[in-house]
């Protein structure tokens, strides 16, 4: 089978490797669609994220969908031919965090595309059956691949404990920011104001229900948000861009006793706040670690029509042109939200 491995910064190579066979409790999945996430871009550009470094060639990709092609011993919940979204995190199930239901912070978690675990930019994978989430036929493979980023947005909104009528700001409206936007709408938020330098993303945010969309390159975001909120500030700011400046902006636009929800991953392994401002306002800062128990709810939200993820993946590439997909996602060219690699 084909397997695409990253050997170093921007060094992707196709390999011919044996097809993996499912073990006890596992399924074999033929991969169909894979979304290119910001974390994939970090590895592609620098071969690292923070303190996690690629030392051996690795297969990237964790936003994925596929079809069950073989069952391991003991699997009864799925059958060959089932269409699935893939939960990319495999927690240990034994630690205190797993036992308390906080699977996303399990220290022994295995996560697709994170060293040393190979991801989904290949023809076939094997994975535990309980982490292959069956999707209805009305959900496309591209949509099923977007369950993972949608689940992150849903989880971020859960952590924020939004109240009806709240005003929120979302800094960065790529797939994660748009997922936060849609989850906040479902949660009954009052107003949503987004910022993003890419015109196509601002336009899409408005289509999906944002009340205002600001361009941080041409507008004074702090001043504009003050005007839009009667100088009170927003109740909650979601930082989804992974840009140091936006985290500072988030602290400036949230009112005293407000919240900042940090979802974005910065290029440098550090977050910066204006300490005096955050302290005087007594802000609460919540960090989001992937998602936790929100993937199946996200599938329901897509299938019910309450959330639209089709609009995320309008740019498609074959496996052999994954480097072009990565470059397009980095450049945000042609309004790309999620570059989708269609494998089979």
């Amino acid at each position: 089978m084909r397997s695409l491995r990253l050997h170093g910064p921007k060094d992707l190579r196709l390999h011919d490797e044996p097809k993996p066979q499912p073990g006890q409790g596992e399924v074999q999945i033929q991969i169909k669609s894979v979304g290119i996430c910001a974390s994939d871009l970090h590895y592609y550009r620098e071969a690292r994220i923070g303190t996690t470094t690629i030392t051996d060639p690795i297969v990237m990709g964790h936003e994925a969908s596929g079809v069950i092609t073989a069952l391991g011993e003991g699997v009864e919940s799925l059958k060959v031919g089932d269409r699935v979204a893939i939960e990319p995190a495999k927690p240990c199930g034994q630690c205190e965090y797993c036992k308390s239901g906080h699977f996303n912070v399990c220290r022994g978690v295995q996560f697709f595309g994170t060293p040393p675990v190979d991801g989904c930019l290949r023809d076939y994978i094997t994975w535990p059956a309980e982490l292959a989430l069956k999707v209805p036929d009305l959900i496309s493979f591209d949509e099923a691949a977007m369950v993972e980023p949608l689940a992150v947005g849903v989880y971020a909104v859960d952590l924020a404990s939004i109240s009806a009528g709240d005003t929120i700001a979302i800094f960065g409206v790529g797939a994660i920011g748009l997922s936060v936007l849609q989850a906040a709408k479902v949660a009954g938020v009052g107003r949503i104001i987004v910022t993003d330098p890419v015109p196509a993303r601002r336009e899409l945010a408005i289509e999906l229900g944002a009340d205002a969309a600001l361009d941080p390159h041409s507008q004074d975001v702090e001043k504009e948000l003050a005007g839009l909120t009667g100088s009170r500030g927003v109740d909650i700011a979601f930082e989804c861009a992974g840009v140091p400046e936006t985290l500072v902006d988030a602290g400036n636009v949230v009112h005293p006793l407000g919240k900042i929800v940090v979802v974005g991953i910065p290029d440098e392994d550090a977050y910066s706040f204006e300490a005096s401002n955050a302290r005087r306002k007594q802000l609460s800062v919540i960090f989001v670690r992937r998602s936790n128990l929100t993937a199946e709810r996200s599938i329901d939200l897509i299938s019910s029509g309450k959330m639209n993820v089709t609009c995320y993946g309008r740019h498609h590439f074959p496996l052999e042109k994954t480097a072009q997909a990565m470059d397009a996602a980095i450049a945000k060219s042609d309004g790309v939200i999620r570059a989708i690699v269609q494998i089979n």
Side-chain angles (χ1 to χ4, degrees):
M1 70 167 190
R2 297 171 304 163
S3 184
L4 187 67
R5 293 191 176 274
L6 181 71
H7 288 251
K10 296 192 174 185
D11 183 7
L12 287 169
R13 306 179 201 173
L14 269 176
H15 296 254
D16 184 11
E17 298 177 357
K19 185 189 300 185
Q21 299 302 314
Q24 173 79 29
E26 292 184 334
V27 292
Q28 180 191 75
I29 305 171
Q30 183 188 49
I31 298 297
K32 292 293 186 179
S33 296
V34 180
I36 300 301
C37 174
S39 60
D40 297 317
L41 301 181
H42 281 284
Y43 284 127
Y44 175 66
R45 288 178 302 191
E46 295 113 27
R48 60 182 288 274
I49 295 179
T51 58
T52 303
T53 303
I54 293 175
T55 55
D56 297 304
I58 191 169
V59 179
M60 294 184 293
H62 61 268
E63 300 177 354
S65 64
V67 175
I68 304 296
T69 46
L71 306 177
E73 185 179 349
V75 175
E76 298 179 352
S77 58
L78 294 165
K79 65 181 185 300
V80 171
D82 280 346
R83 305 163 72 257
V84 296
I86 297 166
E87 167 54 61
K90 181 168 69 173
C92 75
Q94 302 300 316
C95 68
E96 63 176 294
Y97 306 107
C98 286
K99 289 180 178 179
S100 64
H102 297 94
F103 301 101
N104 60 318
V105 292
C106 168
R107 291 175 177 173
V109 70
Q110 297 179 48
F111 194 86
F112 273 138
T114 298
V117 182
D118 283 333
C120 298
L121 286 170
R122 46 183 166 155
D123 284 319
Y124 293 89
I125 64 165
T126 55
W127 203 232
E130 66 268 20
L131 301 178
L133 308 177
K134 188 174 178 179
V135 299
D137 290 343
L138 60 86
I139 293 181
S140 70
F141 288 117
D142 284 0
E143 289 175 304
M146 293 297 97
V147 166
E148 198 276 338
L150 182 60
V152 174
V154 171
Y155 182 55
V157 170
D158 284 354
L159 290 178
S161 299
I162 284 176
S163 298
D166 278 350
T167 294
I168 68 169
I170 303 172
F171 291 84
V173 280
I176 299 297
L178 292 172
S179 297
V180 168
L181 187 162
Q182 295 192 80
K185 292 288 287 187
V186 170
V189 72
R191 279 198 300 171
I192 301 173
I193 304 161
V194 308
T195 77
D196 199 291
V198 180
R201 294 186 173 192
R202 296 196 302 273
E203 292 167 8
L204 183 54
I206 294 294
E207 289 178 22
L208 292 175
D211 297 283
L214 306 176
D215 180 359
H217 287 177
S218 64
Q219 294 175 281
D220 184 326
V221 169
E222 186 176 350
K223 181 178 179 181
E224 293 291 334
L225 278 166
L228 289 167
T229 60
S231 297
R232 180 175 183 269
V234 302
D235 298 285
I236 308 169
F238 291 86
E239 201 294 312
C240 301
V243 178
E245 294 80 6
T246 59
L247 200 52
V248 174
D249 288 342
N252 290 337
V253 303
V254 173
H255 64 61
L257 304 181
K259 303 172 191 173
I260 300 173
V261 182
V262 183
V263 194
I265 300 173
D267 288 336
E268 300 298 325
D269 192 25
Y271 291 108
S272 297
F273 299 89
E274 288 187 353
S276 58
N277 180 51
R279 185 180 69 253
R280 289 166 183 160
K281 289 184 177 181
Q282 195 175 308
L283 300 180
S284 297
V285 181
I286 302 167
F287 292 93
V288 179
R289 171 66 165 171
R290 297 172 178 154
S291 66
N292 191 43
L293 301 175
T294 53
E296 290 182 327
R297 189 172 8 139
S298 297
I299 292 172
D300 291 340
L301 288 165
I302 295 170
S303 60
S304 66
K306 292 181 179 178
M307 292 194 181
N308 175 6
V309 294
T310 303
C311 58
Y312 296 2
R314 294 170 174 166
H315 298 74
H316 300 92
F317 303 82
L319 182 62
E320 293 80 5
K321 293 187 178 180
T322 297
Q324 292 182 26
M326 298 278 182
D327 292 336
I330 290 169
K332 300 181 177 63
S333 56
D334 192 30
V336 64
I337 304 294
R338 269 295 189 267
I340 303 287
V341 179
Q342 293 182 320
I343 296 181
N344 289 290

